[in-house]
Amino acid sequence: MFDSLIKNNKINMSLEDQNFVKALIAGDHTRTPHEKKFLFDIIANKTNGLDVDKLDYLCRDTAVLNMRMMVSLMSLHRLLSGARVDPQTGHICYIDKDILTVETFFLHRRYLHNNLYNHKTVTAIGYMIGDAFIAADNYMKLSEAIYDPERYITLDDHIMKQIKESDCPELAESRKILERITSRDLYRKAGSRMIRCSDFPRIRAYVTPDRIAEATILCSEKMDSKDQEIASVLQPSDIIVHFSSRHFGMGEQNPMDILKFYSRDNLNDFHSARSTGQYDPQEPVCQHFLLVFVKQEKFLEVVKAGYKQIEENFIEHKVAESSPPAIDSA
């Protein structure tokens, strides 16, 4: 998108400056190692996650939803005004009196992920919009547009309006899904669970739509004839297994242990939050969650039974230890 903006608007910018801007967006100092390191802590901070991108969307989303920010804007302005660069590491550091402000900021991020971004209704609607776009893709070629800057900027909310107002038969399935969102006929939650960090890789590898569908069919033997009939037509594609992680922005690593602080008494002595005696974390840094959805209401009860059987398996440690793929630090 940046390259397209430069080209289409005939902006006079050197290739060196263009590469520098793109490196800042990516938060990758290795692209332009001759530039000052602290500049890469500002936009996309890959070192500790405290950057203006998070400051922007957390404050903005909180205001739009008429929620209360855990940390005041005045405190954030004071935090930024006291920022200094550690000459040894080249990274931005903060005054130690703002340790609580920084911690509260990370706590607020996790709070929004818990109560907003990963809310079950938000997640269900997200999957429904995704399924609607997949159903429309053969006709609208949406997946191709992401590689074309000119078409990419047209991928906004009007696409859903365009699909819903169309009478094109190729968009019938997509239209049906979007109409379900309007009428609140949403994908239904069939199960949920918080998962310990130590169990997350094993459970993530074990709990799949195929395995839940298989367990549901086995459980249906103890159900009445109506539920047996429903379970007999269940397909793994009717089930969604959603994993999410809620953390401070650095996965299972605590950014408070990475950030450095200084005191007014010694402006050049940079140290960790714990060493000041002002920081003692009481909550887990990272939590993992599992949500199971069904796409059709008729499958809800039978899949609940199947998921319950799967859950009993991993709770009772019947699942064999495995070495699943590495986890994304979303």
Side-chain angles (χ1 to χ4, degrees):
M1 291 302 299
F2 179 76
D3 290 338
S4 177
L5 286 170
I6 296 294
K7 179 181 177 181
N8 294 342
N9 294 282
K10 299 180 175 59
I11 296 175
N12 184 21
M13 180 182 288
S14 69
L15 183 60
E16 181 181 8
D17 286 345
Q18 291 181 40
N19 289 334
F20 177 48
V21 171
K22 288 190 284 188
L24 289 175
I25 294 171
D28 187 357
H29 183 236
T30 62
R31 293 191 187 185
T32 53
H34 57 283
E35 300 288 355
K36 293 181 174 65
K37 187 182 290 185
F38 79 88
L39 296 173
F40 293 83
D41 290 347
I42 298 174
I43 299 172
N45 191 335
K46 299 297 177 63
T47 303
N48 55 58
L50 182 57
D51 52 45
V52 294
D53 177 55
K54 286 188 181 65
L55 287 171
D56 171 56
Y57 79 74
L58 292 181
C59 293
R60 175 164 34 84
D61 291 351
T62 302
V64 168
L65 293 165
N66 198 28
M67 297 170 66
R68 184 175 181 179
M69 191 82 174
M70 288 185 179
V71 54
S72 70
L73 293 178
M74 184 181 297
S75 296
L76 291 177
H77 283 298
R78 186 184 67 191
L79 173 72
L80 297 179
S81 66
R84 290 172 58 84
V85 176
D86 181 348
Q88 290 189 335
T89 66
H91 290 295
I92 296 176
C93 304
Y94 302 92
I95 191 167
D96 55 11
K97 70 176 183 179
D98 287 329
I99 287 176
L100 181 60
T101 297
V102 176
E103 181 191 20
T104 306
F105 171 76
F106 286 125
L107 286 169
H108 187 70
R109 178 194 183 278
R110 194 173 68 182
Y111 172 80
L112 287 184
H113 275 269
N114 267 327
N115 296 280
L116 174 62
Y117 306 135
N118 288 288
H119 189 278
K120 66 178 180 65
T121 304
V122 174
T123 304
I125 292 175
Y127 275 108
M128 294 182 78
I129 293 174
D131 284 346
F133 286 176
I134 290 171
D137 194 49
N138 284 337
Y139 181 75
M140 300 184 74
K141 308 298 181 185
L142 298 174
S143 59
E144 297 178 6
I146 64 175
Y147 302 105
D148 181 351
E150 298 299 325
R151 289 190 61 198
Y152 181 76
I153 61 174
T154 68
L155 299 181
D156 55 24
D157 290 351
H158 91 279
I159 294 175
M160 292 188 286
K161 184 173 185 290
Q162 180 182 345
I163 294 172
K164 290 168 71 173
E165 292 179 350
S166 170
D167 57 3
C168 177
E170 288 86 353
L171 296 176
E173 180 61 28
S174 178
R175 192 160 51 245
K176 181 179 177 181
I177 297 173
L178 293 180
E179 287 170 354
R180 285 183 60 185
I181 296 176
T182 302
S183 63
R184 302 293 288 184
D185 178 20
L186 306 179
Y187 293 171
R188 297 292 303 278
K189 186 186 79 171
S192 63
R193 187 170 185 82
M194 182 187 295
I195 307 170
R196 293 180 303 180
C197 290
S198 58
D199 291 334
F200 189 44
R202 176 170 56 87
I203 292 175
R204 186 176 186 179
Y206 182 73
V207 183
T208 65
D210 291 88
R211 194 161 274 130
I212 294 175
E214 181 182 354
T216 301
I217 294 172
L218 291 174
C219 289
S220 67
E221 296 175 359
K222 301 177 182 179
M223 301 175 185
D224 59 34
S225 58
K226 181 180 178 181
D227 285 342
Q228 286 182 9
E229 184 179 350
I230 292 173
S232 67
V233 297
L234 176 69
Q235 299 294 321
S237 58
D238 296 314
I239 302 170
I240 295 170
V241 176
H242 175 78
F243 289 97
S244 62
S245 300
R246 327 288 167 83
H247 47 73
F248 290 170
M250 299 292 292
E252 294 184 10
Q253 189 172 17
N254 189 346
M256 293 296 293
D257 291 331
I258 304 171
L259 278 157
K260 298 296 181 183
F261 298 86
Y262 69 93
S263 67
R264 282 179 173 173
D265 297 332
N266 191 340
L267 300 181
N268 295 311
D269 179 23
F270 299 93
H271 42 266
S272 67
R274 292 178 192 262
S275 66
T276 64
Q278 300 181 49
Y279 177 66
D280 182 20
Q282 301 297 318
E283 299 185 55
V285 172
C286 182
Q287 297 172 309
H288 302 294
F289 294 83
L290 161 65
L291 281 172
V292 177
F293 295 97
V294 290
K295 297 184 179 182
Q296 300 291 336
E297 174 81 25
K298 65 180 181 180
F299 293 126
L300 180 60
E301 295 305 320
V302 296
V303 171
K304 278 184 177 180
Y307 168 71
K308 184 177 180 181
Q309 182 61 54
I310 291 291
E311 192 175 56
E312 289 175 357
N313 286 347
F314 62 71
I315 290 176
E316 296 173 8
H317 304 287
K318 293 179 180 177
V319 183
E321 294 294 333
S322 60
S323 299
I327 303 170
D328 299 330
S329 56

